[in-house]
Amino acid sequence: MATGESTPERESGPTALRIVLGAQLRRLREAAEISRADAGYAIRGSESKISRMELGRVGLKERDVNDLLTMYGVNDPDERAKFLDMVRRSNSPGWWHRFTDLMPDWFHDYVGLEEAAARILIYETQFVPGLLQTEAYATAIASHGRPELVTPEVRRRVSLRMQRQRILARPGAPRVWAVVDESVLYRAIGGREVLINQLDHLLSVTKDGPVTLQIVPFPWAGYAAKGPFAMLRFGEPDLPDIVYLEHLAGALYLDKLEELEIYSRVFDRLTVDAETPDRSRQMLAKRRAEL
């Protein structure tokens, strides 16, 4: 994987660090044969608080981690200092912090995890995946195709999406493997010129770099998966794979082994049903010429 040799302490964002810290604290607690309930009592909390901390679902306080390290028998000053430094880093705001007023709460963690991913697997049925959209295409989606609705808030939403794409240009960029329905090539989001430029962009990013694109042709569309999803895979062993599903009222983060196996098989099936990357690029070029 692209980031397999980097350490989470050095390069991962705050969301990933929080998950790594939680996993390390869980291992220390289990090695010390201490229950979650007893650990929660020691930090003036509850068993559920320890569970949330160990899953990386909440921010960690230095005082709590200090107390837990003492309880777990971690007395080496250098090791304790390393843990507390990670706590401070995990609580520092990511670059997306200034966009939090535009993002629903359930999307914050996704952006943070996307920053730390080594591989990003995406299936889309209606739009070009957000990481591969042009600014004009993203603007058309955010404004529902109506130029009069391009407000300052819409422009900030698009700016957030464009900044997310910077992970593809950085050293050690995550590998993106996107599978899209053929109908996406025919849905003229924003009009003909916007679609032409979007197709040109897809041809460019799939020529060289970390992006692989496959297109599911019309005859096979809709069989392997009922809707879009993303799967994030990480180079750090403490970060489990995560499947991300959006719905109208929020999002789901799936990380149970049986769930991951289902979506892994589905994505494998999609890549079999889809045209090869080379053939998919030919389809892009053909559709571009038709326009």
Side-chain angles (χ1 to χ4, degrees):
M1 291 185 179
T3 60
E5 296 180 359
S6 64
T7 60
E9 293 89 341
R10 217 175 36 237
E11 301 203 8
S12 289
T15 306
L17 277 172
R18 202 171 64 217
I19 296 173
V20 171
L21 268 167
Q24 292 179 352
L25 288 172
R26 174 182 54 77
R27 283 201 300 271
L28 288 171
R29 177 182 60 77
E30 291 174 346
E33 299 183 345
I34 295 172
S35 69
R36 286 194 182 97
D38 288 342
Y41 183 80
I43 62 169
R44 304 152 295 277
S46 62
E47 181 177 352
S48 63
K49 178 178 179 178
I50 294 296
S51 178
R52 292 194 301 273
M53 288 173 63
E54 292 180 351
L55 291 170
R57 302 281 169 80
V58 294
L60 290 86
K61 297 179 180 177
E62 289 188 50
R63 183 182 69 172
D64 289 345
V65 173
N66 236 328
D67 291 346
L68 289 175
L69 291 176
T70 299
M71 188 180 195
Y72 299 160
V74 179
N75 299 312
D76 180 80
D78 291 338
E79 189 173 358
R80 292 176 69 95
K82 180 180 177 182
F83 266 98
L84 295 177
D85 179 61
M86 288 177 68
V87 171
R88 287 187 286 271
R89 291 170 183 262
S90 73
N91 288 324
S92 63
W95 63 261
W96 57 92
H97 179 71
R98 62 191 178 95
F99 294 100
T100 52
D101 60 312
L102 298 177
M103 291 191 291
D105 292 342
W106 42 262
F107 193 59
H108 293 181
D109 278 347
Y110 180 79
V111 176
L113 290 168
E114 189 179 66
E115 283 273 306
R119 297 188 70 192
I120 303 173
L121 312 181
I122 306 168
Y123 174 56
E124 270 290 353
T125 59
Q126 189 173 2
F127 305 114
V128 169
L131 286 177
L132 308 179
Q133 292 176 6
T134 64
E135 185 171 352
Y137 188 96
T139 300
I141 292 174
S143 62
H144 305 286
R146 297 172 60 183
E148 69 274 15
L149 297 182
V150 181
T151 62
E153 180 177 310
V154 165
R155 294 191 185 282
R156 287 186 66 217
R157 289 183 185 277
V158 174
S159 178
L160 167 62
R161 179 155 297 181
M162 296 300 104
Q163 285 200 236
R164 283 174 53 205
Q165 295 181 6
R166 292 181 182 179
I167 63 173
L168 302 181
R170 75 185 185 197
R175 297 292 309 181
V176 175
W177 193 347
V179 178
V180 302
D181 190 274
E182 185 178 1
S183 64
V184 171
L185 310 187
Y186 290 84
R187 193 169 290 112
I189 303 294
R192 176 177 174 273
E193 288 301 319
V194 170
L195 181 58
I196 288 174
N197 291 332
Q198 179 63 70
L199 294 175
D200 284 340
H201 181 64
L202 291 177
L203 285 166
S204 175
V205 297
T206 56
K207 183 178 181 181
D208 297 300
V211 178
T212 298
L213 176 68
Q214 289 185 258
I215 298 170
V216 181
F218 286 124
W220 294 105
Y223 289 109
K226 294 182 179 179
F229 64 90
M231 178 179 285
L232 305 179
R233 292 177 172 168
F234 305 90
E236 296 84 10
D238 285 325
L239 289 171
D241 292 353
I242 292 175
V243 170
Y244 174 78
L245 301 168
E246 282 191 10
H247 54 84
L248 291 176
L252 298 174
Y253 291 84
L254 309 180
D255 58 6
K256 294 180 180 178
L257 184 59
E258 59 270 25
E259 296 168 334
L260 296 173
E261 288 178 348
I262 289 172
Y263 277 90
S264 291
R265 288 198 299 269
V266 166
F267 195 82
D268 288 345
R269 182 73 249 174
L270 286 166
T271 62
V272 172
D273 290 345
E275 298 287 357
T276 65
D278 286 344
R279 175 61 185 150
S280 295
R281 281 179 49 79
Q282 292 172 21
M283 292 176 70
L284 289 174
K286 182 176 180 293
R287 179 60 182 146
R288 168 67 173 83
E290 292 172 352
L291 292 167

